[in-house]
Amino acid sequence: MKKRNLSDNFMKLFIILSSIITLGTMIWILIYVISNGIAHVSWEFLTEFQEGQIEGGIFPYIISTLYIIFITILIATPIGIFSAIYLVEYAKPGKIVRIIRFATESLAGIPSIVFGLFGLIFFVTMLGFRWSMLSGALTLSIMVLPTVVRTTEESLKAVPNIYREGSLGLGASKLRTIRKVILPSALPGILTAVILSIGRIIGETAAVFLTAGTAKALPKSIMDGGRTLSVHMYYLAKEGISMDKAYATATVLILVVIVINFIANKLASRLNKKNS
Amino acid sequence: MNNMKITVKDLNLYYGDFQALKNINIDIEERKITALIGPSGCGKSTFIKTLNRMNDLIEGVKIDGNVMLDGEDIYKDVDVIKLRKRVGMVFQKPNPFPMSVYDNVAYGPRSHGVKKKSILDEIVEKSLRSAAIWDEAKDRLKKNALGFSGGQQQRLCIARALAVEPEVLLMDEPTSALDPIATGRIEELTEDLKKEYTIVIVTHSMQQAGRISDKTAFFLLGDLIEMGDTKKIFSNPDDKRTEDYITGRFG
Ligand SMILES: Nc1ncnc2c1ncn2[C@@H]1O[C@H](COP(=O)(O)OP(=O)(O)OP(=O)(O)O)[C@@H](O)[C@H]1O
Ligand SMILES: [Mg+2]
């Protein structure tokens, strides 16, 4: 009895300790970065920039980041969702599905620099898209595709079969069943996939600077290069240009992530409310 | 001689190598309630699903024999979408879609091309009335259907099935998830519905089969043992096994 109590207590202690370590490190990093950076975040820093001036503001990099996120999501989400629909709703379990699943899983495990190299060779050079938003977004699309497919797949599988039976039993076509019953139920999960992808895109450096370049200009079209906040930070820190600016940029990056997550969460709970 | 709505001839069904239905021959009368009874796993659900081809959804199912609806072979001559419009189904577990009550009932008609709001309104009201849930639903049409109780949900599902104006209504243990009061309401409802619809119902309750059905079919291990007037089956069955099952002496 006593022994049991002891191990119970030990377990509890361990759980609490782990939580504290996880949460603590996270909060510590956040506070450290923001406290070092926030003083250098000014209105000028956010909005001003001079062509080719690395010491100036980060406006073009914010735009490049949002630009790349937007195009990547635009490319990767539909493809990912349609693949997941195919895998869950249409494909007969068997060899092809196993191969596709194996491919997506392998793709998820490949380091991002490999995607970067591929993008550099294929999109930048072979297809002649140069260092551009497009090359970057295409490369990142391939990179986040496994996440989108897997997460969407899981949320489709979680839709109870009785909904499918109910709809088909009324004489609705399979397509209509998917569109009107299955997808709406799976939407929160699909949104999670998008959030996860955005997180990966924001955090990515290697695959981005190899394909979208490091141009310090504001991208005016999809064929222009540009640098994202992460890439910019990498340069600031690596070249020792300005640690202050690096922290300030990191602060902005963190804020962007928080805002995007906040919006996505609001959207998800909105959808959930409508659905339940 | 009564009209036969559905005629099943020499029906065999296999799940892979396992034969779940063995040479079934059944005639289902129009505007009557036919009850399917038998111990768990005897093939009742499998059989009822062959009547609107819901088995098509299951991997590895093989079917031979004929199922004739008004003289047409549903596995050969009838488009499956049109078939399911004519032969509706209510499932064991109430399965309203996670959308409003109105959208649930309008789902079927919309799937079959009805777009006009006024017509949909009419169908929704009529179906909810026929399913005896109009009074409870009329002020909650825009509310999510999952907010209903289990019994209400099941009647809503019946309304949803009626909204496509089927000729036959298949019900697989429609009251097994409901309390006695909700069950009673559904039983009363089936009495009303049989004036217009042909009903096939699977049930584990002998009392229920006795109360509501005109015909009863007894299944055992994939075989149809006996079928006939409910009165006769319950009072004077031909087969010993039917009697054992009905009197609860079945192992
Ligand atoms: N998808 C399936 N794949 C393989 N075998 C199945 C499948 N569905 C049912 N079976 C088998 O077919 C037989 C008949 O099953 P069915 O569900 O029709 O029985 P039932 O009479 O409806 O039983 P219950 O009263 O428990 O609902 C059972 O032996 C069952 O294990
Ligand atoms: Mg069953």
Side-chain angles (χ1 to χ4, degrees), chain B residues 15-16 18 20 38-47 49 58-59 61 92 172-173 202 204:
Chain B
Y15 292 115
F18 174 72
S40 205
C42 67
K44 305 178 298 292
S45 298
T46 302
F47 174 73
K49 282 195 218 151
I58 301 168
E59 205 63 39
V61 168
Q92 178 169 1
D172 191 352
E173 299 184 49
V202 173
H204 271 287

Side-chain angles (χ1 to χ4, degrees), chain A residues 162 167-168 170-171 176 275-276, chain B residues 84 95 98 107 111-112 144:
Chain A
I162 55 173
S167 173
L168 295 169
L170 288 164
R176 189 177 161 82
N275 259 316
S276 59
Chain B
R84 290 186 187 145
N95 61 346
Y107 185 89
S111 300
H112 297 288
N144 196 301

Side-chain angles (χ1 to χ4, degrees), chain A residues 149-168:
Chain A
V149 174
R150 288 309 299 265
T151 317
T152 308
E153 248 190 291
E154 292 311 315
S155 66
L156 289 175
K157 279 190 203 151
V159 177
N161 240 333
I162 55 173
Y163 288 164
R164 293 180 179 86
E165 287 180 344
S167 173
L168 295 169

